[in-house]
Structure formats: C-alpha cells, structure tokens
Amino acid sequence: MALTEFELIRRYFASPNAGATRDDVVLGVGDDGAILRPPAGMDLVAVADTLIEGVHFPVGSAPGSIGHRALAVNLSDIAAMGAKPAWALLSLSLPQVEEIWLAAFTDGFARLARSHAVALVGGDTTGGALVANVQVLGFLPAGEGLRRSGGQPGDWVFVSGTPGDAAAGLALEMGAEGPGGLDEAWLRDRFLYPTPRVGLGQLLRSLASACIDVSDGLFGDLGKLVAASGCGAEIDVTQLPLSPALIRVLGAEQALQRALSGGDDYELCFTIPDSRLREAQTLLAGQATPTRCIGRLRSGSDVILQRAGTVMEFSHPGFDHFAR
Ligand code: ADP
Ligand code: MG
C-alpha cells in the first residue's frame, strides 16, 4: 500500500530521524507550526536556499548528496554571517514517493544536521519537479553579525579551503573526461559533499571586517564583498590555494581559472584589518580549516588580479541565474 503523507513525514522528517534533538525546540514536526525558544541576548540569523534538479545539481544525482547539499549551502550562508546554526525547515517537492530515494536523501541531510546540532523543525512536502528548499535559523551575540560591507582599504583578503575543486567535480559529474582514480573521486566529492565552514565563521566574528561565502566563484563573490564595502581589491593569483588534485587533473593554468570562476565551493572569503593580522594568523593556524591570505583591499572599485608583477586580464562575472 502506498505511504500516506502523514506516515511519510513521520518516517523521514520527524525527529530524531532527520536531525539533532534540541531543548530549545518546544514543538517540532507534526503540528501546524514549530514552537522555538530563542536564547536571550542573541540575534536570530535566517537564511534560505533552493536546489532545483537540472539547475543546481545534475539530473539523477545521488539522493544522499542532494540531502547533504540542500543543508550545506544554507549552513555556508550561516557561517558567512558568523552565526551558530540551530533549526532548519525543509520544503521538498518530489516527482514520486520512492522510499529508497527518500531514506538516502534524509540520511544525507540528517548526518550533516546532527554534526552541527541542527534540528529539523518543520517544512512542507508536495508533488512536483524535484526541488529542495531549506531555511536555517541560527544565533549570534546581539550586534556581532558579520557582513559583506565592513571591509576597508588596507585590510587583508583571505580565503578558506581550495576553491575550484567543486566546479571541476561538477564537470566530471556532468560527463567531462577525467583520469579516474582517487583524484577524480576526491574532486567529485568536493561537489557532492561540500563542507560548510561553520566553525571558522564563528571564529571570524571577532576578527574579520567583512565576510562572504563563495558559492558563485571567488572572483565574482569577492567582487560582491568589495562592492558592499565600497572599495577595491588586489589579489596575487600565485597565492591562490589550489588543491594538488585539481592541479594534477586540470594542469596549473586551468586549475587557476576554476579557482577564480568555478562555483559551488562553499568556502569563506573574508577580510582582516592590518591591526589584527598577527592575532588572526595565530588563531587561523589553529583551525582545522586551512585559510590563506591572497591579497589586500585597496581604494577603487575593482578586483585586480596580479601575477608575478603583471595584471592578469580576467572578467568572468560568476554565475548569474538570469544572465542567459
Ligand atoms: P499542513 O497540512 O498543516 O500544512 P503538513 O501536512 O504540510 O501540514 O505538515 C505536517 C507537519 O509536518 C508540519 O509540522 C510540517 O512542518 C511538517 N513537515 C511537512 N513536510 C516536511 C518536511 N519535508 N520536512 C520537515 N517537516 C515537514
Ligand atoms: Mg503545511
């Protein structure tokens, strides 16, 4: 017999199957709404992101990856604000109810949710094209949220992780010819299972002057940070942290292009005032997530790329859904 909607929600989306259990969830999945108890003295941070089959992930992607990414992209936004995630809502549109698919989707979502102590507190389930919309709510001490807009000329520009891997991984997922083996598998995983930099974001709250998460390509997203901050930036492309796997698979030049313009990295790009640089370097060195200084904010309004003393021409705008 077909699963009723009630049974489907109970089985796949009710606590504890789909995330962490938390004391601040007064009422979770099952009623008309969730009742949540935010802590005193904290600001609430709210983010939302949608993944559409064929737009944000290839048709036929592994359901565990879709569940993971649907939450990860939101946790990345939470990280960029310097917040600690707490609660999530999941609105899912499904072409059909396939239990094997649903179990794997929920597993991908729930593993990541539990690892960040995030409770799934509600959502919606409908029939239609495959679309996952997730909202995450988190907290930070009142008034301490990070923004894109706080950067000043002279601040140092940093990026986490190794940008470009996910874009190469997506190309492989879409059928690009690869070398096989461990490098290819690792790059595919960097697209399929991104690591949101949640701990780093919270550390940056007390250090960074501005922060953005890199989802649409480093060059374009740094462009958004400098636009919001009302300044420009100069980046030394020889300092970009490229992964050994990316260089082996694409060669150094293509790897650099991917690192600048590829999407889906979910790394953090942030700025540190010169007066805090030493302290920041010490604290960042103690983090599990690697970070690298790649340049400096300056007056002006553009992102200028320097390579061994010459300006590198580059105009990739980053991904824009409406620029077709
Ligand atoms: P209503 O008919 O009142 O809109 P629903 O049947 O849509 O109620 O949802 C019942 C309960 O299940 C609600 O608490 C809702 O938040 C939750 N829910 C529905 N779909 C999901 C989902 N995909 N993930 C998490 N919670 C869900
Ligand atoms: Mg509803």
Side-chain angles (χ1 to χ4, degrees), residues 18 24 50 97 134 181 198 206 215 243 318:
D24 53 11
T50 302
V97 173
V134 173
V198 176
S206 62
S215 53
S243 73

Side-chain angles (χ1 to χ4, degrees), residues 133-212:
N133 170 270
V134 173
Q135 293 151 53
V136 173
L137 300 164
F139 309 116
L140 45 76
E144 289 184 20
L146 288 171
R147 295 159 197 231
R148 297 176 177 184
S149 58
Q152 302 270 350
D155 292 357
W156 298 94
V157 178
F158 283 71
V159 69
S160 68
T162 50
D165 300 336
L170 173 59
L172 292 164
E173 284 288 303
M174 303 274 287
E177 208 178 311
L182 285 179
D183 282 343
E184 177 167 338
W186 186 83
L187 289 173
R188 285 175 185 256
D189 266 16
R190 292 274 290 153
F191 171 78
L192 294 170
Y193 301 96
T195 306
R197 305 305 190 181
V198 176
L200 176 63
Q202 288 169 72
L203 175 77
L204 293 175
R205 216 166 50 219
S206 62
L207 286 175
S209 48
C211 186
I212 188 168

Side-chain angles (χ1 to χ4, degrees), residues 5 9 13 29-32 90 92 120 122-125:
E5 194 183 314
I9 292 169
F13 303 119
V29 168
D31 212 303
D32 288 318
L90 165 65
L92 195 57
L120 182 64
D124 197 26
T125 307

Side-chain angles (χ1 to χ4, degrees), residues 8-296:
L8 183 155
I9 292 169
R10 195 193 63 77
R11 210 175 277 184
Y12 296 106
F13 303 119
S15 174
N17 300 341
T21 48
R22 295 176 58 100
D23 292 345
D24 53 11
V25 178
V26 180
L27 185 63
V29 168
D31 212 303
D32 288 318
I35 302 179
L36 308 169
R37 191 161 290 164
M42 303 292 257
D43 282 346
L44 187 62
V45 176
V47 305
D49 245 313
T50 302
L51 299 189
I52 304 171
E53 186 180 48
V55 178
H56 302 95
F57 57 88
V59 175
S61 286
S65 162
I66 302 169
H68 176 100
R69 292 185 77 245
L71 180 59
V73 300
N74 282 276
L75 293 179
S76 181
D77 283 331
I78 285 278
M81 304 305 292
K84 189 175 172 125
W87 306 314
L89 294 128
L90 165 65
S91 295
L92 195 57
S93 158
L94 297 169
Q96 67 266 320
V97 173
E98 253 182 64
E99 289 214 56
I100 291 174
W101 191 96
L102 268 172
F105 174 91
T106 302
D107 188 60
F109 188 98
R111 277 170 194 271
L112 185 62
R114 282 192 212 105
S115 74
H116 290 282
V118 168
L120 182 64
V121 299
D124 197 26
T125 307
T126 59
L130 180 55
V131 178
N133 170 270
V134 173
Q135 293 151 53
V136 173
L137 300 164
F139 309 116
L140 45 76
E144 289 184 20
L146 288 171
R147 295 159 197 231
R148 297 176 177 184
S149 58
Q152 302 270 350
D155 292 357
W156 298 94
V157 178
F158 283 71
V159 69
S160 68
T162 50
D165 300 336
L170 173 59
L172 292 164
E173 284 288 303
M174 303 274 287
E177 208 178 311
L182 285 179
D183 282 343
E184 177 167 338
W186 186 83
L187 289 173
R188 285 175 185 256
D189 266 16
R190 292 274 290 153
F191 171 78
L192 294 170
Y193 301 96
T195 306
R197 305 305 190 181
V198 176
L200 176 63
Q202 288 169 72
L203 175 77
L204 293 175
R205 216 166 50 219
S206 62
L207 286 175
S209 48
C211 186
I212 188 168
D213 84 311
V214 181
S215 53
D216 300 333
L218 178 59
F219 183 78
D221 286 336
L222 176 58
K224 292 176 197 164
L225 183 151
V226 301
S229 293
C231 59
E234 194 165 287
I235 298 305
D236 177 356
V237 298
T238 65
Q239 291 306 306
L240 286 180
L242 305 175
S243 73
L246 189 69
I247 294 174
R248 281 193 295 265
V249 170
L250 291 184
E253 192 57 37
Q254 277 303 310
L256 176 62
Q257 297 286 329
R258 291 281 175 164
L260 288 168
S261 63
D264 299 306
D265 292 312
Y266 302 105
E267 297 297 346
L268 296 181
C269 179
F270 54 95
T271 56
I272 302 283
D274 189 50
S275 61
R276 311 290 304 276
L277 183 63
R278 273 174 163 269
E279 181 193 353
Q281 280 170 329
T282 306
L283 288 168
L284 291 171
Q287 286 284 299
T289 303
T291 47
R292 173 88 64 87
C293 182
I294 58 169
R296 211 163 180 185

